[in-house]
Amino acid sequence: MPDTTTDWRQLEDRYLMNTAKRLPVTVVRGEGTRLWDDAGKEYLDFLTGPSTVSLGHSHPVLLQALSEQAKALIHVTGTIPSIPQVKLARLLVENSCLDRAFFCNSGAEANEGAIKLARKWGKQRRNGAYEIICALNAFHGRTLATVTATGTEKYKAPFTPLPEGFVHVPFNDVEAIKRATTDKTAAVLLEPVQCEGGVNVPSDDYLRGVRRWCDEQGILLILDEVQTGIGRLGALFAYQLYGVEPDVMTLAKGMGSGVPIGAFLAKEHCSVLEPGDHGSTFGGNPLMTHAAYAVCKYIIDNDVPAQAAARGRYLERKLRGLEDRFPFIGEVRGKGLIWAMEFDREMAEEVVLACLAEGLIANNVRPTTLRFCPPLTVSEDEIDQAAAIVERVLARHG
Ligand SMILES: *Cc1c(COP(=O)(O)O)cnc(C)c1O
């Protein structure tokens, strides 16, 4: 077997589909906020999957849950009940405004499920309405329906024809949603903060305005909390920060701290799916739901979201310090523990590569935008180290 860094890189090029611009690193081990590559070099992980390894790499709570459940029962199927799935559903329902959960394996699948639910609801309750209003710059996933909801032209163009029924309006603009609403509208689908779109934080009253409009019109509000949910914004769910309740909510990324799991949850009044309408072979699998239960329970019992909010404020102070020093930083923006640094030119990729060389993994979420989403458990000391690396790199690039 080849065992040098170079060889693994060549094998990647030879055997993997060329769907991602991969960083020039092959990681072999993680612990907490740290990763190690195949040459033993250490990195601070301020990307985490993105926003996925919520408790840090190989958290003991997750390791124990995985090994205990792997010995007991790994997989059955949706028609055979297992205890972990019910426990996780109950935990999420009792800690949210939603009433019922369906488990799947990713964020895109969670959104697919929510879209199917909204379409069926529209058929039954709103005269066959099926359109879903989405925001420009959104990110909802890569399946045909979710890539259509995502709306970004370059993600969609190669794959036409796409499903009908998605309408796009500018984010953070309630009036645009009002203008786009017709008797065909079934739902509005939004991220509370657009994470992949560049960490776009709406004004505080945006979601309240959207909620009011949905109530007036009798249409559903679906919040895609795949990235914002489970503590990332400094509350268990982002909707809690904005004083609204969604009718449907989707989750994935952070809920398993790295194991693949997603969910969509609905309030009783719109929980219209019946036997035969939807399913997933691996969805709700005992191994994944037991792992996610352990992760979510730990996050709730230890108020990890509050800790993430405090660390987020610390990270914000550090980044604002850099903003004052380097004139090419146009803006620092974020919420909770997801932050972006906006440059006045397309330099994010070279900054990411320079940070990597210095032992920090961050992400160029846009050509002009650097993003940081460390584990919710990141320490102030680790934030200091990361900020020092960013400062060194920017000093060279200024
Ligand atoms: C990542 C993401 C998705 C897609 O999740 P996958 O697990 O990659 O399918 C959907 N919505 C949001 C907001 C995301 O950040």
Side-chain angles (χ1 to χ4, degrees):
M1 283 294 268
D3 60 4
T4 68
T5 310
T6 323
D7 286 342
W8 286 115
R9 211 80 48 66
Q10 277 171 0
L11 292 178
E12 238 170 60
D13 289 346
R14 167 67 186 81
Y15 291 109
L16 294 180
M17 281 200 194
N18 194 22
T19 55
K21 205 164 173 186
R22 298 185 186 89
L23 287 179
V25 63
T26 303
V27 293
V28 294
R29 194 163 72 79
E31 192 184 321
T33 307
R34 311 218 170 234
L35 286 171
W36 285 268
D37 72 12
D38 54 350
K41 182 175 165 179
E42 186 177 301
Y43 301 85
L44 281 165
D45 187 2
F46 272 51
L47 174 58
T48 63
S51 307
T52 297
V53 188
S54 46
L55 293 180
H57 294 281
S58 297
H59 193 281
V61 161
L62 175 58
L63 294 189
Q64 197 201 323
L66 280 170
S67 68
E68 137 195 315
Q69 189 61 42
K71 285 179 205 145
L73 176 65
I74 292 179
H75 183 78
V76 281
T77 182
T79 52
I80 300 179
S82 71
I83 295 168
Q85 166 161 229
V86 184
K87 283 172 67 178
L88 180 59
R90 181 179 182 184
L91 182 72
L92 294 174
V93 164
E94 288 184 347
N95 285 281
S96 74
C97 64
L98 291 311
D99 297 313
R100 292 180 183 274
F102 178 93
F103 295 110
C104 53
N105 314 285
S106 69
E109 276 178 88
N111 287 326
E112 282 276 344
I115 291 164
K116 285 176 69 177
L117 182 148
R119 285 195 171 187
K120 184 168 183 199
W121 177 88
K123 273 194 205 309
Q124 288 188 339
R125 312 275 175 87
R126 206 173 134 81
N127 264 327
Y130 61 89
E131 271 182 8
I132 298 185
I133 300 175
C134 309
L136 293 165
N137 272 318
F139 187 82
H140 299 298
R142 304 293 206 140
T143 61
L144 285 174
T146 59
V147 86
T148 311
T150 289
T152 305
E153 208 44 47
K154 75 166 180 193
Y155 294 156
K156 291 194 304 186
F159 310 113
T160 54
L162 297 166
E164 286 174 48
F166 295 89
V167 179
H168 287 87
V169 299
F171 187 57
N172 199 23
D173 183 345
V174 183
E175 294 307 313
I177 290 177
K178 293 183 180 176
R179 283 194 298 275
T181 304
T182 69
D183 55 5
K184 292 198 171 51
T185 308
V188 176
L189 166 61
L190 295 171
E191 298 155 88
V193 165
Q194 293 187 322
C195 297
E196 296 304 305
V199 191
N200 307 317
V201 182
S203 50
D204 287 343
D205 57 358
Y206 175 56
L207 286 182
R208 266 198 309 274
V210 177
R211 176 73 269 181
R212 213 174 303 125
W213 177 250
C214 290
D215 288 341
E216 277 170 38
Q217 297 295 309
I219 56 185
L220 300 179
L221 175 59
I222 307 172
L223 289 183
D224 177 347
E225 294 231 27
V226 165
Q227 191 154 176
T228 56
I230 316 292
R232 180 55 54 183
L233 291 200
L236 188 59
F237 304 110
Y239 74 77
Q240 296 165 328
L241 295 167
Y242 290 103
V244 298
E245 292 191 355
D247 302 297
V248 180
M249 173 173 75
T250 59
L251 297 172
K253 292 196 164 89
M255 73 183 285
S257 195
V259 302
I261 184 163
F264 63 100
L265 295 97
K267 288 202 173 189
E268 196 65 54
H269 77 85
C270 60
S271 189
V272 292
L273 297 180
E274 295 166 300
D277 280 342
H278 198 56
S280 164
T281 297
F282 289 122
N285 153 319
L287 184 64
M288 290 307 138
T289 46
H290 186 68
Y293 175 80
V295 168
C296 293
K297 183 99 173 69
Y298 181 90
I299 287 175
I300 293 166
D301 288 351
N302 294 282
D303 205 356
V304 174
Q307 183 186 326
R311 297 291 148 70
R313 286 190 293 272
Y314 189 79
L315 175 60
E316 178 185 7
R317 274 206 302 284
K318 288 277 160 180
L319 297 177
R320 294 217 183 277
L322 299 177
E323 186 182 18
D324 295 339
R325 247 200 84 186
F326 300 106
F328 52 86
I329 301 177
E331 190 187 16
V332 166
R333 59 174 182 264
K335 203 171 178 75
L337 205 40
I338 181 162
W339 286 87
M341 182 178 269
E342 184 73 32
F343 301 119
D344 67 2
R345 61 193 95 137
E346 297 198 353
M347 60 186 276
E349 185 177 356
E350 61 185 84
V351 171
V352 163
L353 292 173
C355 285
L356 182 73
E358 302 249 350
L360 170 67
I361 296 179
N363 149 261
N364 44 322
V365 68
R366 298 263 126 159
T368 56
T369 318
L370 190 62
R371 170 177 59 171
F372 305 98
C373 39
L376 304 179
T377 50
V378 66
S379 70
E380 291 190 354
D381 186 45
E382 287 162 343
I383 292 172
D384 287 341
Q385 293 169 41
I389 292 174
V390 176
E391 178 166 21
R392 270 205 305 281
V393 163
L394 293 183
R396 280 206 307 271
H397 282 72

